[in-house]
Amino acid sequence: MTSLPDSLPRIGLGTDRHRLVPDRACWLGGVLFGDCPVGPDGHSDGDAVLHALTDALLGAAGLEDLGTLFPDTDPTWQGVASESFLQAAIERLAAIGLHCWSVDLVVQCDQPKIAPQRDNIRRHLADLLALPVDRVNLKGKTREGVDAEIKAVDVTAVVLIGPTV
Ligand code: MG
């Protein structure tokens, strides 16, 4: 088979991991966890939720991945808000007639607790993706104390994309 109809949906998977370190602003899903004593280390703001989501979108569309498009060796991206990566991915999809129609996310970390900000993140991501909030889901899970010496946040994102309507 050489091609499939453009109308068929495509899925994408993205993952990301960042160390959590003291004295870093804790941005996850574009929402600031203001009272968290640790935050994701990284070249950008370290927002692992946005990184995983962006990679899932790019992967679903068959485009180059986040690290290739926005390398952490490029000073252009130093300290940048990761929403700019997501916006760039959305624009690249739109340019080839594709839109994200559903998102599911799993965030694993012992700090911060995700539940208090879960609905804020869902609303924020839904706004960025031009989706109803019921098409953006997010679950927070602990790391069960594993690797207690090294604090980290792990994110898995799955998306469904298809033609713009
Ligand atoms: Mg990352």
Side-chain angles (χ1 to χ4, degrees):
M1 187 177 293
T2 55
S3 67
L4 289 170
D6 288 338
S7 58
L8 289 178
R10 314 176 195 190
I11 60 167
L13 171 68
T15 67
D16 199 29
R17 167 181 291 174
H18 282 255
R19 285 177 183 261
L20 294 168
V21 297
D23 303 321
R24 279 278 292 185
C26 186
W27 288 96
L28 290 170
V31 169
L32 179 64
F33 287 70
D35 57 354
C36 187
V38 292
D41 199 12
H43 186 66
S44 62
D45 62 8
D47 191 326
V49 172
L50 291 178
H51 295 178
L53 174 56
T54 301
D55 246 350
L57 291 172
L58 293 169
L63 299 172
E64 291 189 291
D65 69 5
L66 183 71
T68 304
L69 293 175
F70 312 105
D72 62 9
T73 50
D74 185 341
T76 306
W77 314 116
Q78 177 98 39
V80 77
S82 295
E83 282 184 15
S84 60
F85 303 144
L86 179 60
Q87 293 286 6
I90 291 168
E91 288 167 13
R92 282 167 192 252
L93 263 65
I96 53 176
L98 294 170
H99 190 74
C100 176
W101 295 113
S102 182
V103 174
D104 199 12
L105 294 153
V106 177
V107 183
Q108 289 184 276
C109 55
D110 289 331
Q111 281 184 297
K113 293 298 178 203
I114 299 300
Q117 295 275 30
R118 175 175 178 265
D119 288 343
N120 285 338
I121 295 173
R122 291 180 68 201
R123 276 193 295 268
H124 186 62
L125 295 180
D127 283 347
L128 292 172
L129 293 161
L131 283 177
V133 72
D134 68 357
R135 295 300 181 101
V136 179
N137 199 18
L138 178 144
K139 285 93 70 178
K141 300 172 72 72
T142 73
R143 287 164 58 84
E144 302 290 349
V146 174
D147 303 331
E149 295 298 314
I150 301 173
K151 295 182 174 15
V153 55
D154 285 280
V155 182
T156 304
V158 175
V159 301
L160 183 78
I161 70 169
T164 306
V165 294

